[in-house]
Tab-separated table of all heavy atoms in Angstrom:
chain	number	residue	atom	x	y	z
A	5	ILE	N	164.409	41.562	171.052
A	5	ILE	CA	164.582	43.025	170.804
A	5	ILE	C	164.786	43.244	169.317
A	5	ILE	O	165.710	42.732	168.682
A	5	ILE	CB	165.790	43.587	171.619
A	5	ILE	CG1	165.505	43.470	173.165
A	5	ILE	CG2	166.068	45.059	171.275
A	5	ILE	CD1	165.605	42.139	173.774
A	29	GLY	N	168.966	38.489	190.141
A	29	GLY	CA	168.937	37.103	190.525
A	29	GLY	C	168.285	36.220	189.559
A	29	GLY	O	168.137	35.000	189.799
A	50	ARG	N	183.879	34.167	180.313
A	50	ARG	CA	184.705	33.359	181.201
A	50	ARG	C	184.815	31.893	180.600
A	50	ARG	O	185.787	31.249	180.778
A	50	ARG	CB	184.217	33.402	182.589
A	50	ARG	CG	183.455	32.231	183.122
A	50	ARG	CD	183.133	32.453	184.580
A	50	ARG	NE	181.714	33.063	184.584
A	50	ARG	CZ	180.875	32.873	185.561
A	50	ARG	NH1	181.268	32.272	186.680
A	50	ARG	NH2	179.705	33.389	185.517
A	53	ALA	N	182.157	28.719	174.458
A	53	ALA	CA	181.660	27.441	173.895
A	53	ALA	C	182.346	27.230	172.556
A	53	ALA	O	182.732	28.175	171.883
A	53	ALA	CB	180.190	27.391	173.782
A	65	ALA	N	171.998	21.194	167.113
A	65	ALA	CA	172.760	20.591	168.167
A	65	ALA	C	172.926	21.524	169.316
A	65	ALA	O	173.153	22.730	169.169
A	65	ALA	CB	174.163	20.242	167.672
A	82	TYR	N	176.602	32.801	171.178
A	82	TYR	CA	177.161	33.906	170.282
A	82	TYR	C	176.796	33.663	168.828
A	82	TYR	O	176.321	32.571	168.423
A	82	TYR	CB	178.723	33.988	170.472
A	82	TYR	CG	179.565	32.746	170.226
A	82	TYR	CD1	179.830	32.379	168.879
A	82	TYR	CD2	180.113	32.037	171.236
A	82	TYR	CE1	180.578	31.257	168.602
A	82	TYR	CE2	180.872	30.925	170.992
A	82	TYR	CZ	181.170	30.550	169.653
A	82	TYR	OH	181.925	29.405	169.414
A	93	ALA	N	166.785	25.184	155.827
A	93	ALA	CA	166.029	24.324	156.705
A	93	ALA	C	164.517	24.507	156.491
A	93	ALA	O	164.010	25.650	156.411
A	93	ALA	CB	166.358	24.604	158.168
A	118	ASP	N	168.738	39.223	170.541
A	118	ASP	CA	169.055	40.474	169.771
A	118	ASP	C	168.975	40.153	168.263
A	118	ASP	O	169.320	39.056	167.833
A	118	ASP	CB	170.482	40.959	170.170
A	118	ASP	CG	170.828	42.291	169.472
A	118	ASP	OD1	169.890	43.084	169.140
A	118	ASP	OD2	172.070	42.550	169.417
A	124	GLY	N	164.586	39.559	157.334
A	124	GLY	CA	165.229	38.380	156.792
A	124	GLY	C	164.847	37.152	157.588
A	124	GLY	O	164.206	37.247	158.636
A	132	ALA	N	159.746	34.916	165.969
A	132	ALA	CA	158.821	33.800	166.232
A	132	ALA	C	159.144	33.091	167.526
A	132	ALA	O	158.319	32.447	168.148
A	132	ALA	CB	158.877	32.818	165.077
A	137	LEU	N	157.888	41.008	172.262
A	137	LEU	CA	158.858	41.707	171.395
A	137	LEU	C	159.063	43.144	172.020
A	137	LEU	O	158.085	43.705	172.549
A	137	LEU	CB	158.265	41.932	169.999
A	137	LEU	CG	157.777	40.645	169.283
A	137	LEU	CD1	157.127	40.952	167.936
A	137	LEU	CD2	158.924	39.650	169.147
A	141	ILE	N	161.836	52.928	169.720
A	141	ILE	CA	161.132	53.833	168.781
A	141	ILE	C	161.842	55.187	168.834
A	141	ILE	O	162.143	55.750	169.884
A	141	ILE	CB	159.725	54.101	169.256
A	141	ILE	CG1	159.002	52.804	169.490
A	141	ILE	CG2	158.961	54.936	168.244
A	141	ILE	CD1	157.607	52.998	169.988
A	157	THR	N	153.380	46.216	159.492
A	157	THR	CA	153.578	45.403	158.258
A	157	THR	C	154.338	44.077	158.685
A	157	THR	O	153.898	42.987	158.202
A	157	THR	CB	154.423	46.108	157.245
A	157	THR	OG1	153.782	47.395	157.028
A	157	THR	CG2	154.536	45.344	155.917
A	166	ALA	N	151.401	31.594	163.340
A	166	ALA	CA	150.553	30.960	164.378
A	166	ALA	C	150.105	29.556	163.898
A	166	ALA	O	149.983	28.616	164.728
A	166	ALA	CB	149.315	31.798	164.608
A	181	ARG	N	166.755	57.163	173.208
A	181	ARG	CA	167.629	58.375	172.999
A	181	ARG	C	166.816	59.693	173.093
A	181	ARG	O	166.871	60.496	172.165
A	181	ARG	CB	168.320	58.254	171.669
A	181	ARG	CG	169.810	57.884	171.877
A	181	ARG	CD	170.563	57.895	170.585
A	181	ARG	NE	170.770	56.533	170.066
A	181	ARG	CZ	171.240	56.268	168.882
A	181	ARG	NH1	171.579	57.282	168.090
A	181	ARG	NH2	171.408	55.039	168.522
A	194	GLU	N	150.436	60.201	171.490
A	194	GLU	CA	150.048	60.210	170.083
A	194	GLU	C	150.236	58.819	169.470
A	194	GLU	O	149.430	58.364	168.780
A	194	GLU	CB	150.882	61.263	169.351
A	194	GLU	CG	150.219	61.887	168.182
A	194	GLU	CD	150.807	63.143	167.810
A	194	GLU	OE1	151.239	63.955	168.734
A	194	GLU	OE2	150.853	63.431	166.609
A	211	GLU	N	155.594	53.299	179.188
A	211	GLU	CA	155.788	54.549	179.879
A	211	GLU	C	157.222	54.958	180.034
A	211	GLU	O	157.639	56.083	179.950
A	211	GLU	CB	155.224	54.451	181.306
A	211	GLU	CG	153.730	54.172	181.415
A	211	GLU	CD	152.883	55.366	181.153
A	211	GLU	OE1	153.471	56.484	181.292
A	211	GLU	OE2	151.721	55.215	180.744
A	216	ALA	N	168.758	59.946	176.154
A	216	ALA	CA	169.996	59.994	175.411
A	216	ALA	C	171.091	60.266	176.512
A	216	ALA	O	170.963	61.190	177.260
A	216	ALA	CB	169.923	61.173	174.417
A	219	VAL	N	176.537	57.665	178.850
A	219	VAL	CA	176.871	56.548	179.724
A	219	VAL	C	176.687	55.218	179.043
A	219	VAL	O	177.408	54.243	179.353
A	219	VAL	CB	176.149	56.562	181.078
A	219	VAL	CG1	176.564	57.734	181.918
A	219	VAL	CG2	174.672	56.466	180.893
A	239	ALA	N	167.582	64.388	188.561
A	239	ALA	CA	166.491	64.868	187.702
A	239	ALA	C	166.338	64.034	186.470
A	239	ALA	O	165.279	63.490	186.190
A	239	ALA	CB	166.744	66.322	187.366
A	250	LEU	N	161.903	49.976	183.516
A	250	LEU	CA	161.608	49.152	182.379
A	250	LEU	C	161.271	47.671	182.853
A	250	LEU	O	160.258	47.143	182.288
A	250	LEU	CB	162.830	49.111	181.411
A	250	LEU	CG	162.766	48.208	180.226
A	250	LEU	CD1	161.537	48.533	179.337
A	250	LEU	CD2	164.017	48.205	179.400
Side-chain angles (χ1 to χ4, degrees):
I5 294 74
R50 103 178 95 150
Y82 61 74
D118 185 24
L137 310 174
I141 308 178
T157 307
R181 254 185 260 173
E194 206 160 326
E211 297 284 339
V219 294
L250 175 60

